[in-house]
Amino acid sequence: MQNSVTPTHCPYCALQCGMNLTPAPDGTVEVSERADFPVNRGALCGKGRTAPAVLSSRVRLASPLVRSGGTLVPAGWDEALDRIAEGLSRTRAEHGPDACGVFGGGGLTNEKAYTLGKFARVVLGTSQIDYNGRFCMSSAAAGGMKAFGLDRGLPFPLEDIPKSGCVILVGSNLAETMPPSLRFFTELRENGGTLIVIDPRRTKTAEQADLHLMPRPGTDLALALGLLHLVVAEGLVDEEYVRERTAGWEDARAAAMAHWPEYVERITGVPVPQLRETVRLFCEPESAMVLTARGPEQQSKGTDTVSAWINLCLATGRAGRPFSGYGCLTGQGNGQGGREHGQKADQLPGYRKLDDPAARAHVAGVWGVDPDSLPGPGRSAYELLDALGTDIKSLLLMGSNPVVSAPHAAHIEERIKSLDFLAVCDVVLSETAALADVVLPVTQWAEETGTTTNLEGRVLLRRQAITPPDGIRSDLEVMHELADRLGVEKGFPTDAEEVFEELRRASAGGPADYSGITYRRLAEENGVFWPCPTEDTVVHPGTPRLFLDRFATPDGRARFVPVSHRAIAEEPDEEYPVLLTTGRVVAQYQSGAQTRRVDELNAAAPGPFVELHPRLAERLGAAEGDPVAVVSRRGRAVAPARITLGIRPDTVFMPFHWYGEGRANTLTNPALDPTSRMPEFKACAVRLETVER
């Protein structure tokens, strides 16, 4: 075990807050402030402070598990790896390579994500690989690609936010989902800037706003179009910018003009005076930003919604200029890097497209394989999970817990149970791992070295601080051993830096070019922003701010995308008259597989709840704390009522961190965005029922 202080980063959200880790004499690890990292400047939320609790032998997996007689029992590594290799080989032999599925996670390091994509395509020969980041960033990514020719969550560092004149924050409760980031918005207001929050709930973030709009869930697209209509009607379009730096304005303008303010008020419930005030506050200062999160993105029209907000930025000259622009607040720890390097169904490393012959040739050259041997694009995340047990017979899963996190979760749980073979690599025995035929215990962030890419596009080095317990191996070791057993003896190193060196070559020349980034630079420079095509720091220090000179399109111009409002996939009706929206709470993270094992976090957020307005509670006859059933066309969830004026009367909210009868994703709608394939987590029709106890 090392004894010195190790500077590293939090294992949770996409802020990737800096922290110091120090091994204690009793075998635990102490977290301390690391003030030199600019994203959090030493501040940590409760999840970050308590992250070492999951290192405890009390909560983590200690050895491989194999299913015997219907029960998971401890086994040796050779037996467990042999079983996985046999299961995957049998599936390939009987049903073909595409009957093997691979499902990854947005928390995997860049090295793991890269290797997992390579393993799927080179070792298994399957096209059936995707990851849970599809449920997080895909709509924003698709919208960014359409408009700018490039997807990087934030095209500027967080430190630019306080220097802007106005920020519209759409569908983000960052005060709870990434608390250390709130200081940038506090500083914005201290500097005289304005914060506008758009959310159907009066969240802790909304309480900080100068103006809070509460639209009906699923109407963010209409809201953005209504604001653009007013920009045009009030003569606030930056005509010179539109003429010199964009294309497609006339069609987008015509689409927006069909969304007049009173019409938008009827759709969204946001009063026209608030729409006008939003436009005034956004357009008056020299600089302004729009930042979106899961609220507008996790919809069956999420890509169009993102496009509408980008159109607002382009029409007002707010993109590719200092302290201005559109950005997306990535959720998962490596949600950005995780989709850049090959675990997404349609992509190769460097954010290359899998159906691009030149991209295939380049990556195949790095991998030493024939480009024609690489499979084509596969299914998106939900579609892959929905095909389990039918087209896909075996699944290798790393770093995800879809039994809790996927939409229509009870259905996905049944699909997982119908598999011929399931292997899971995880730190803890998640609800999904508990269904597996083989479970492999793998190292955690403090026990391994690797890189992540935070929400700013800043590539970071997570350093190993402690030695993992005996019997625990890294995901890279797992893939090396499985590749060897499946007949591929070379190309799957176990050393993270060696993998990163190959990733650099594979990404060279691609949109997400990491070729100039090295572990040495990451350590010396506190992270490097991609793209960075050369190691020479004088020639190219990295790219903190994108698009200042040109956009990443062939002609350098940003593209307007004409979009129009459409309803959510499942509107309320007489049988299901209320809207459900879902989200997170400050003390839990994603599916809760790790945070629900931390005593301090469980004390703060012990279980699910149903948040509802007093008028709705009165009609239902429910008091604070009473069990309430929320019923959708897909299932039923029960949780205590939490009554508050801070939510619309036509809407209920449930956090999605728990399994069991309070599982919110039992209810959610898997209707998919036609472009991003993002499910509609944020809006579905439900009814409420009282429950006798």
Side-chain angles (χ1 to χ4, degrees):
M1 178 178 289
Q2 303 173 20
N3 294 315
S4 58
V5 174
T6 301
T8 189
H9 296 273
C10 178
Y12 290 115
C13 83
L15 289 180
Q16 288 296 280
C17 291
M19 58 169 61
N20 288 321
L21 298 182
T22 306
D26 63 359
T28 60
V29 180
E30 296 177 353
V31 173
S32 60
E33 179 179 304
R34 180 183 164 195
D36 69 309
F37 188 59
V39 169
N40 63 309
R41 306 176 204 165
L44 292 170
C45 73
K47 294 185 292 289
R49 286 188 296 98
T50 61
V54 188
L55 298 167
S56 168
S57 59
R58 182 176 63 86
V59 301
R60 72 181 303 165
L61 291 165
S63 72
L65 303 173
V66 300
R67 192 162 295 280
S68 176
T71 304
L72 287 172
V73 298
W77 272 94
D78 283 340
E79 178 187 356
L81 290 165
D82 287 346
R83 284 207 189 188
I84 297 174
E86 290 166 5
L88 296 173
S89 294
R90 184 169 56 252
T91 295
R92 283 197 304 171
E94 294 178 1
H95 304 285
D98 272 358
C100 294
V102 177
F103 200 83
L108 300 180
T109 62
N110 290 316
E111 293 81 358
K112 294 177 185 179
Y114 171 84
T115 303
L116 189 61
K118 182 180 180 182
F119 180 88
R121 295 175 175 112
V122 173
V123 178
L124 297 178
T126 182
S127 66
Q128 300 304 302
I129 175 172
D130 211 76
Y131 82 127
N132 63 15
R134 177 79 69 169
F135 299 157
C136 174
M137 285 290 299
S138 56
S139 292
M145 290 296 293
K146 285 185 177 185
F148 308 131
L150 187 69
D151 157 45
R152 196 181 85 184
L154 291 180
F156 40 73
L158 285 165
E159 65 190 39
D160 282 5
I161 289 172
K163 302 170 187 175
S164 188
C166 176
V167 174
I168 299 179
L169 189 60
V170 190
S172 171
N173 183 15
L174 54 81
E176 296 200 62
T177 58
M178 44 182 67
S181 69
L182 188 62
R183 68 173 58 194
F184 294 103
F185 298 87
T186 301
E187 291 171 10
L188 164 77
R189 299 183 68 206
E190 290 172 349
N191 293 342
T194 302
L195 175 62
I196 301 170
V197 170
I198 298 172
D199 198 302
R201 303 169 61 224
R202 181 74 176 172
T203 64
K204 292 182 180 179
T205 306
E207 290 172 357
Q208 309 299 314
D210 297 283
L211 178 62
H212 175 206
L213 311 184
M214 297 180 71
R216 186 172 176 266
T219 63
D220 308 90
L221 174 53
L223 179 60
L225 287 162
L227 296 176
L228 183 53
H229 177 110
L230 285 170
V231 165
V232 175
E234 296 180 14
L236 298 173
V237 175
D238 188 330
E239 300 286 358
E240 181 180 1
Y241 174 94
V242 168
R243 183 172 58 254
E244 294 182 356
R245 298 203 62 187
T246 72
W249 166 233
E250 289 305 319
D251 288 343
R253 177 186 181 278
M257 295 314 289
H259 298 78
W260 59 95
E262 292 76 14
Y263 172 57
V264 169
E265 178 181 306
R266 289 200 301 273
I267 295 170
T268 65
V270 177
V272 170
Q274 287 192 353
L275 298 175
R276 296 187 183 280
E277 180 67 358
T278 299
V279 168
R280 184 187 71 80
L281 293 172
F282 186 68
C283 292
E284 276 187 354
E286 184 176 345
S287 58
M289 298 175 176
V290 172
L291 304 178
T292 67
R294 305 303 79 75
E297 298 163 13
Q298 286 182 325
Q299 298 182 28
S300 60
K301 52 187 172 180
T303 302
D304 283 359
T305 303
V306 167
S307 293
W309 288 107
I310 292 175
N311 288 348
L312 179 66
C313 290
L314 294 176
T316 54
R318 306 303 206 187
R321 284 180 168 172
F323 316 124
S324 290
Y326 166 79
C328 168
L329 298 172
T330 305
Q332 295 190 78
N334 197 32
Q336 180 71 52
R339 68 181 180 278
E340 294 169 0
H341 298 300
Q343 65 172 334
K344 193 162 172 275
D346 57 349
Q347 286 175 196
L348 288 169
Y351 222 133
R352 289 181 159 91
K353 299 298 290 183
L354 189 54
D355 56 5
D356 176 0
R360 293 169 66 86
H362 174 85
V363 174
V366 174
W367 289 351
V369 300
D370 185 340
D372 292 338
S373 71
L374 298 178
R379 292 175 172 89
S380 71
Y382 182 81
E383 291 165 306
L384 189 157
L385 295 171
D386 189 42
L388 298 181
T390 53
D391 294 339
I392 299 173
K393 305 295 185 179
S394 294
L395 181 68
L396 174 64
L397 186 146
M398 288 186 172
S400 186
N401 188 18
V403 164
V404 177
S405 62
H408 199 0
H411 169 69
I412 295 305
E413 184 173 1
E414 290 305 311
R415 301 299 344 126
I416 289 172
K417 289 177 179 178
S418 72
L419 283 164
D420 292 348
F421 182 81
L422 172 64
V424 173
C425 299
D426 210 329
V427 172
V428 298
L429 190 66
S430 70
E431 287 78 11
T432 305
L435 303 177
D437 297 284
V438 180
V439 183
L440 300 180
V442 290
T443 50
Q444 301 184 54
W445 100 110
E447 301 164 346
E448 60 187 13
T449 294
T451 63
T452 62
T453 307
N454 81 343
L455 77 172
E456 307 165 297
R458 188 194 306 250
V459 186
L460 304 167
L461 183 62
R462 280 192 197 162
R463 300 168 175 88
Q464 181 179 355
I466 58 173
T467 302
D470 292 339
I472 307 296
R473 299 187 186 180
S474 74
D475 297 277
L476 295 179
E477 291 175 298
V478 168
M479 287 184 278
H480 172 86
E481 292 289 342
L482 289 176
D484 185 58
R485 283 167 167 78
L486 292 166
V488 181
E489 298 177 359
K490 295 182 179 180
F492 290 86
T494 60
D495 178 75
E497 188 169 5
E498 186 177 347
V499 175
F500 191 79
E501 288 299 304
E502 183 179 305
L503 183 158
R504 291 175 61 204
R505 298 194 301 275
S507 73
D513 191 335
Y514 283 32
S515 59
I517 303 174
T518 64
Y519 272 31
R520 176 189 58 78
R521 285 192 65 178
L522 294 177
E524 292 176 354
E525 300 173 37
N526 226 346
V528 177
F529 291 86
W530 71 260
C532 183
T534 175
E535 289 185 53
D536 189 327
T537 58
V538 176
V539 174
H540 206 297
T543 314
R545 296 169 181 87
L546 295 168
F547 312 139
L548 293 180
D549 299 316
R550 69 189 312 275
F551 296 96
T553 55
D555 61 4
R557 291 173 173 265
R559 302 287 192 266
F560 282 96
V561 178
V563 292
S564 295
H565 168 71
R566 63 181 185 272
I568 59 175
E570 187 179 78
E571 288 283 357
D573 56 23
E574 289 186 3
E575 187 177 2
Y576 300 95
V578 177
L579 279 168
L580 168 71
T581 193
T582 63
R584 288 169 47 190
V585 297
V586 66
Q588 301 289 353
Y589 181 71
Q590 304 299 71
S591 76
Q594 295 187 32
T595 52
R596 285 187 275 116
R597 288 167 167 81
V598 179
D599 292 342
E600 180 180 330
L601 300 179
N602 276 334
F609 56 87
V610 180
E611 187 176 278
L612 66 165
H613 191 275
R615 293 209 300 258
L616 188 55
E618 183 179 3
R619 290 203 301 271
L620 182 65
E624 180 76 15
D626 285 352
V628 171
V630 185
V631 184
S632 78
R633 289 178 173 85
R634 288 154 296 282
R636 184 174 190 266
V638 178
R642 184 174 294 183
I643 301 172
T644 173
L645 289 168
I647 191 169
R648 290 176 55 97
D650 58 1
T651 300
V652 295
F653 167 83
M654 289 187 71
F656 59 80
H657 309 290
W658 288 273
Y659 184 63
E661 71 172 2
R663 179 173 59 184
N665 277 320
T666 296
L667 309 167
T668 48
N669 191 351
L672 300 180
D673 180 289
T675 301
S676 68
R677 316 309 288 168
M678 167 73 84
E680 191 150 66
F681 287 98
K682 287 302 182 193
C684 71
V686 298
R687 68 170 181 265
L688 305 183
E689 300 172 350
T690 55
V691 177
E692 296 295 331
R693 289 296 197 196

